[in-house]
Amino acid sequence: MANTLLKIEHLTKSYDGNVILKDFNLSVRKGEVIVIIGPSGCGKSTLLRCINGLEPIQSGVIKLDDEIIDSKSKTITKLRQRVGMVFQSYDLFPHKTVLQNIILAPTLVQKRDKKEAAAEAEQLLDKVGLSDKKDSYPRQLSGGQKQRVAIVRALCMHPEVMLFDEVTAALDPEMVREVLDTMLELARQGSTMLIVTHEMEFAKAVSDRVIFLDNGEIIEEGAPQTFFNHPKTERAQKFLHTFEFEHIK
Amino acid sequence: MDWNVISKSIPLYWDAMLLTLKIGWIGVALATLIGLVSAVVIHFRIPVLSVIFKIYIEIFRNTPLLIQLFFLYFALPKIGIKISAEVCGWLGLGLLGGSYMSEAFRSGIEAIDIVQRESALSLGMTDFQVMIHVILPQALSYSTPAFVANIIFLLKETSVFSAISLMDLMFRAKDLIGLYYNTAEYLVLLVVFYLIILLPVSILGTVLERRLRYASFGT
């Protein structure tokens, strides 16, 4: 496939004998937005963690361009700079202000000039509507604000792929929207994104491709319109059915 | 109570206090350094080194300072290593304290949520950078109460220094009592001078704990 940025081949991941991902294959094109859905425990979070080299894998290959992502290799810190990740729980550093959170890695890891990094951070914060919060500490922010800062913090490293691991799962419904809007905007700008989410309407709107995962295997994948309106497999139909309430009335 | 005796002895106690303070704080500084290094080494499970540090902690945490000092001061010269009483003092205190500090810092490091480490790693930081910039600053604030308690404990332990003929406060008091028999006066002075050393630490510690309580940064 042309412009393949991320390629996963025959990935197998297990924990103490429990297989989490079985012979998993996936190609992600540059600029593609992929939403991964599935019941909890299906391996979707583990998949993202493997892509970021946070989990050792048992077999298979994960490649970013032509470089192999291996959690144990010496080059993993270099590769992680090219993959941004936002987690479900608030992962901001509590002892640093919003601005310090954002520019820590760019100045420390990429050795960028502090002023230049701060200028970019402020620009990005402005885009997500948080420029007035740059000197606040994380505990002074709402959940939605924290997640937007976490997104900005990842973006400031100029990653080639962004991974989102249920970033709205711990948020109040009103705050979910502001975070999703930020992600939609990123998608519009052409970022390559892998998104694990339970927000089905959002998934429909943002994705180029939907992957339905169960028991560590891809059960079904396709364009969002096809997948959500006419799921082929019984398992996917059943899963999507749990998000509908019309039939109850 | 003979106030004349007391006022005449104050300069003598003052000199002894300065010595106690000097050895005590060098010991505390050494203990903090050893504690930090060993906590980090044990946390990362660095091969060989972490085992050495674990053995060290168990030995020094489970033997009295007096015996450690005797060992440094009387036993080591027999195998050709001669160190002055003063060095024995702060070295012994540092080694004993290091084993306590290590546990205090380690529990702080372990209190930090794993997602802090992972999110820092995902930004491309190395394990060492994560430790220095993300984990330790937070861990130290969790460790502060235990850290301050250890400092107070170590400064109090200096009272055994007299056993290796260091002219600290305890030595001065015993010396004067032996010479002049004004037991009450000299003991009162001893208590007062220890309070002069320790009360500021205690008060400062409480202030510090309140400011850093549970890593509540930004309030």
Side-chain angles (χ1 to χ4, degrees), chain A residues 11-246:
Chain A
L11 166 66
T12 300
K13 162 78 196 167
S14 55
Y15 259 128
D16 305 323
N18 297 322
V19 180
I20 312 288
L21 293 166
K22 284 176 218 156
D23 193 27
F24 186 91
N25 295 285
L26 178 70
S27 282
V28 183
R29 274 178 289 119
K30 199 164 187 281
E32 200 175 12
V33 177
I34 295 182
V35 165
I36 302 158
I37 59 173
S40 56
C42 70
K44 32 190 210 308
S45 292
T46 308
L47 175 67
L48 295 192
R49 294 167 60 81
C50 289
I51 296 172
N52 212 348
L54 290 172
E55 299 276 349
I57 60 175
Q58 274 67 43
S59 65
V61 188
I62 306 173
K63 273 199 234 166
L64 184 65
D65 279 335
D66 284 324
E67 293 196 66
I68 293 171
I69 296 178
D70 172 7
S71 66
K72 288 172 202 130
S73 90
K74 284 232 152 70
T75 56
I76 187 66
T77 55
K78 276 249 155 33
L79 278 162
R80 284 199 189 114
Q81 294 174 38
R82 301 168 59 190
V83 181
M85 182 154 176
V86 183
F87 296 75
Q88 175 183 342
S89 54
Y90 316 129
D91 53 338
L92 295 180
F93 309 134
H95 59 297
K96 293 190 178 292
T97 64
V98 165
L99 192 68
Q100 289 168 341
N101 259 280
I102 300 169
I103 65 169
L104 177 65
T107 52
L108 192 67
V109 178
Q110 295 177 328
K111 310 277 180 239
R112 278 161 61 187
D113 178 60
K114 205 171 170 180
K115 273 207 187 113
E116 177 265 323
E120 189 191 348
E122 284 182 46
Q123 223 174 11
L124 288 168
L125 279 174
D126 195 38
K127 272 192 196 162
V128 298
L130 291 175
S131 46
D132 57 328
K133 299 288 181 192
K134 69 183 169 84
D135 296 318
S136 303
Y137 282 87
R139 59 177 283 125
Q140 297 164 319
L141 305 180
S142 72
Q145 291 171 333
K146 281 185 213 176
Q147 286 302 59
R148 280 182 284 162
V149 172
I151 293 172
V152 166
R153 188 175 66 176
L155 287 177
C156 210
M157 293 292 287
H158 307 146
E160 292 158 54
V161 189
M162 281 288 285
L163 312 174
F164 295 89
D165 187 7
E166 295 190 35
V167 291
T168 59
L171 297 181
D172 289 343
E174 284 175 350
M175 292 167 181
V176 169
R177 185 63 199 232
E178 58 190 47
V179 176
L180 296 184
D181 282 341
T182 305
M183 291 160 74
L184 274 168
E185 182 54 35
L186 280 179
R188 252 181 247 130
Q189 290 165 9
S191 308
T192 312
M193 296 156 76
L194 266 77
I195 303 169
V196 167
T197 186
H198 287 301
E199 303 285 338
M200 293 304 150
E201 290 303 316
F202 168 69
K204 225 181 274 184
V206 77
S207 65
D208 298 316
R209 185 151 49 119
V210 180
I211 288 174
F212 177 62
L213 208 61
D214 194 14
N215 279 325
E217 288 175 298
I218 295 179
I219 305 294
E220 188 169 338
E221 68 172 292
Q225 293 310 322
T226 330
F227 176 80
F228 284 107
N229 297 332
H230 312 285
K232 287 193 283 279
T233 58
E234 201 186 320
R235 186 71 192 84
Q237 286 164 10
K238 219 173 143 193
F239 178 75
L240 289 175
H241 200 62
T242 58
F243 292 90
E244 297 188 6
F245 291 92
E246 286 134 14

Side-chain angles (χ1 to χ4, degrees), chain B residues 120-148:
Chain B
L121 285 177
S122 80
L123 288 165
M125 291 189 215
T126 62
D127 265 316
F128 187 71
Q129 288 171 330
V130 174
M131 182 51 80
I132 297 293
H133 295 277
V134 177
I135 310 285
L136 273 185
Q138 298 180 58
L140 292 185
S141 85
Y142 282 104
S143 301
T144 304
F147 177 63
V148 173

Side-chain angles (χ1 to χ4, degrees), chain B residues 19-36:
Chain B
L19 183 77
T20 300
L21 273 176
K22 180 182 159 198
I23 301 176
W25 281 105
I26 295 175
V28 166
L30 181 66
T32 306
L33 187 71
I34 295 176
L36 268 178

